[in-house]
Amino acid sequence: MKTDPNCIFCKIVAGELPKFKVYEDENTLSFLTIEPMSKGHTLVIPKEHVPNVFETSPDTWSLAQETVRKVAHAVEKAMQADGVNINMNNREHAGQVVDHFHIHIIPRYKGDDLQHWPTRKIAAGEGDEISTKISSTL
């Protein structure tokens, strides 16, 4: 399994740094973040060092997503949340702080004052142009 000796999450997986473990299996680890947006804010990571979604294998992605599904149910139930946000930031300019694939499970509560992303209306003709551009790269 690939690891990075300078990666904080690899150090957590190796037991070199403390964690508030929520769930662990052979391939993934889930633990509370130390800078939560709300109580119960949990991270899911693959144990293998993978920087982001662009560099992960289909198998690692699938294993992590199954852990996210399990843990999201547990977080919502245990924290008596009204819902959860599931979020993954990829690369620095998208807000990724630790260069190790990780997915946030954030409990949400009615009236919690956490803000959603700002939105805008799609401009006339923009939808066709953008969808064609994206589709052509698949």
Side-chain angles (χ1 to χ4, degrees), residues 1-12:
M1 176 172 34
K2 187 169 80 169
T3 63
D4 178 342
N6 299 313
C7 172
I8 190 169
F9 288 171
C10 288
K11 290 178 181 182
I12 289 171

Side-chain angles (χ1 to χ4, degrees), residues 51-107:
N52 53 50
V53 70
F54 305 109
E55 299 178 44
T56 192
S57 69
D59 288 340
T60 298
W61 176 257
S62 181
L63 292 165
Q65 291 308 310
E66 177 55 20
T67 297
V68 167
R69 188 191 65 77
K70 286 179 190 176
V71 174
H73 280 288
V75 167
E76 184 179 58
K77 184 176 182 179
M79 301 309 299
Q80 299 179 334
D82 296 313
V84 299
N85 286 123
I86 296 173
N87 182 38
M88 182 180 188
N89 304 325
N90 292 280
R91 303 198 203 276
E92 175 186 1
H93 294 292
Q96 186 176 7
V97 177
V98 177
D99 287 329
H100 185 121
F101 171 129
H102 60 287
I103 299 171
H104 298 258
I105 301 170
I106 305 164

Side-chain angles (χ1 to χ4, degrees), residues 38-40 75 79-83 107-114:
S38 65
K39 284 186 180 181
V75 167
M79 301 309 299
Q80 299 179 334
D82 296 313
R108 296 299 305 270
Y109 306 92
K110 183 177 179 178
D112 65 13
D113 293 327
L114 293 178

